[in-house]
Each structure stands twice: as structure tokens, then as C-alpha cells.
Amino acid sequence: MRQHVNPLSQFFQLPLSLPSKNILFEKSHYPIHLDIGSAKGEFLIELATKHPDWNFVGLEIREPLVSLCEKKRIKLELDNLKFLFCNVNVSLGEWLSDFDDGQLKRVSIQFPDPWFKRKHYKRRVLKTNLINSIAKSMNKDGEIFIQSDILKLFDSMTNTMDKSEYFNRKEVRDMMLLDKNPYNVKTDRELYSLKKNLPIYRGIYIRNSLLFID
């Protein structure tokens, strides 16, 4: 399976009509945790198992991974979890408009594709438009959690987040960086980085009370 796909290619620029939350979940009123770039899905599978009173959605641009994750989810009979294929920077905004007011509580973006070359920076997932789509659908005190084992990428992510009017970076014990994953569940990449003794950079941003203006 290809490790990276170009999100700016014509194929991934076609907007997808994602299923309504009422179709995805029997208990569609539960709070929602959205994981952008869900990869092999183990992070959300563990969270969904531990928290049956939440709904979890994994969004992934590599369609074969989505199929793999759905097979694992169905086998485990996790009705509060779904994996969907899409390019979030193209299809997310319209889909979020289906959520109830304040239902989107958490968003995680973990170890996204780094796209090291400067000419490829525009392929990175965290963009102002994505943040605005989330802000529009998230009420005060909702959170965005980001982490990476690549400092330059993490700095790029925090620079983009810091420019947002709608989110404020959370300090933990007078520190801007978190020393561990706040959900006590680790992704495959996080486990790999810890095994290799690589530094991991983490941060949480909290939705403030500023009303979203289109």
C-alpha cells in the first residue's frame, strides 16, 4: 500500500457525500470524536471499546485502509465507530453541518503525512480552511489534539493553529507541550516512535467562545 497519496490530485478533489450521522450510528445523539488520518484504526478501535457512550469517526484518504478498518470494526461489533474514506479538506465542511449543535467534542490529528519538500507543503492536511470548518461546528470547550514526531511539521501545525481566532492553545502545568497522549491510547506510529526513543510533540487547542463568521 502506498504510504502517501497526493491529496491535490484531481481524483481526491471530487467532493464526496458522506453518510449522515443518523445513518452511521444507532445512537446518533452521542458526542463525537473525529480522528483525521485514522490509518490502521487501532487508536479509535481501542477508544470506542473503552467509551461506549461516545461515537467515533475515523477519516482516511487511503481507501484500502478504510476497508481494512471497517472489517476489523465489524468483526468486533463496534456500533459506536465508523471509518470513512474522504479528503477532509474537500468533503468535511458539508458533512459537519449535519451534526447537532455542540455534538462535535473532539478532533485528533496525529502524525499526519509530513511532505518534507517545500513545494509539497500545500499537500499537508492541517490548513486554515479545515480549522474553520471544525470551528464552525464545534462549541466552546471542544478540543483539537495534534501530535507528531517531526518537530518542523509540528511547528507548522502549531503556527497554523495559533493563527486561528477560534482556538486557544491549552497550557498543562505551565507547559505548552503535553508529555503524553491525553486519551491514554496510542496510535501505531506513536508506539513505533516510543520504541525508537523518538521525541513526540503534542498540543491541545480549545475552542473559545468567539462566534464563527463565514
Side-chain angles (χ1 to χ4, degrees), residues 137-152:
S137 300
M138 184 179 279
N139 283 359
K140 185 177 182 294
D141 295 329
E143 64 185 40
I144 297 180
F145 170 62
I146 59 175
Q147 65 171 336
S148 176
D149 52 6
I150 300 170
L151 181 56
K152 287 186 177 180

Side-chain angles (χ1 to χ4, degrees), residues 163-186:
K163 293 176 183 177
S164 172
E165 299 177 273
Y166 305 107
F167 289 92
N168 300 324
R169 193 165 178 181
K170 181 180 180 181
E171 291 188 22
V172 180
R173 296 186 297 277
D174 298 324
M175 296 187 296
M176 301 303 285
L177 288 177
L178 304 180
D179 56 2
K180 65 179 181 178
N181 190 313
Y183 310 124
N184 294 317
V185 175
K186 297 177 177 63

Side-chain angles (χ1 to χ4, degrees), residues 8-190:
L8 300 182
S9 66
Q10 185 175 359
F11 176 78
F12 294 110
Q13 291 303 302
L14 298 174
L16 298 179
S17 181
L18 301 177
S20 162
K21 63 180 177 61
N22 295 324
I23 294 175
L24 293 174
F25 302 112
E26 180 180 347
K27 297 179 179 179
S28 60
H29 62 285
Y30 279 177
I32 290 177
H33 178 141
L34 182 65
D35 188 47
I36 295 176
S38 48
K40 296 180 181 178
E42 299 298 335
F43 169 76
L44 282 190
I45 287 172
E46 187 172 347
L47 271 185
T49 302
K50 290 182 175 181
H51 302 283
D53 54 346
W54 277 70
N55 285 329
F56 298 88
V57 180
L59 299 179
E60 174 60 51
I61 198 170
R62 291 167 290 182
E63 196 167 10
L65 280 178
V66 175
S67 298
L68 175 66
C69 291
E70 273 295 287
K71 288 178 182 178
K72 291 190 286 188
R73 178 195 69 78
I74 292 169
K75 184 177 181 179
L76 294 169
E77 299 182 342
L78 290 171
D79 295 330
N80 64 328
L81 169 63
K82 287 290 168 33
F83 294 96
L84 302 174
F85 161 69
C86 78
N87 180 346
V88 293
N89 280 297
V90 174
S91 301
L92 184 63
E94 181 178 353
W95 181 61
L96 289 178
S97 65
D98 173 60
F99 288 8
D100 295 335
D101 185 43
Q103 187 173 19
L104 180 62
K105 298 291 186 183
R106 301 193 307 222
V107 174
S108 50
I109 306 174
Q110 307 178 77
F111 305 95
D113 291 342
W115 296 110
F116 289 109
K117 295 180 180 179
R118 182 174 294 276
K119 66 179 181 179
H120 291 158
Y121 283 1
K122 58 187 177 181
R123 298 181 183 181
R124 290 176 174 176
V125 66
L126 189 56
K127 298 179 171 66
T128 299
N129 286 344
L130 177 61
I131 298 171
N132 288 344
S133 293
I134 295 169
K136 184 177 181 180
S137 300
M138 184 179 279
N139 283 359
K140 185 177 182 294
D141 295 329
E143 64 185 40
I144 297 180
F145 170 62
I146 59 175
Q147 65 171 336
S148 176
D149 52 6
I150 300 170
L151 181 56
K152 287 186 177 180
L153 175 59
F154 183 77
D155 286 343
S156 173
M157 295 170 74
T158 56
N159 287 339
T160 302
M161 288 296 308
D162 287 340
K163 293 176 183 177
S164 172
E165 299 177 273
Y166 305 107
F167 289 92
N168 300 324
R169 193 165 178 181
K170 181 180 180 181
E171 291 188 22
V172 180
R173 296 186 297 277
D174 298 324
M175 296 187 296
M176 301 303 285
L177 288 177
L178 304 180
D179 56 2
K180 65 179 181 178
N181 190 313
Y183 310 124
N184 294 317
V185 175
K186 297 177 177 63
T187 70
D188 286 345
R189 179 66 193 187
E190 190 170 2

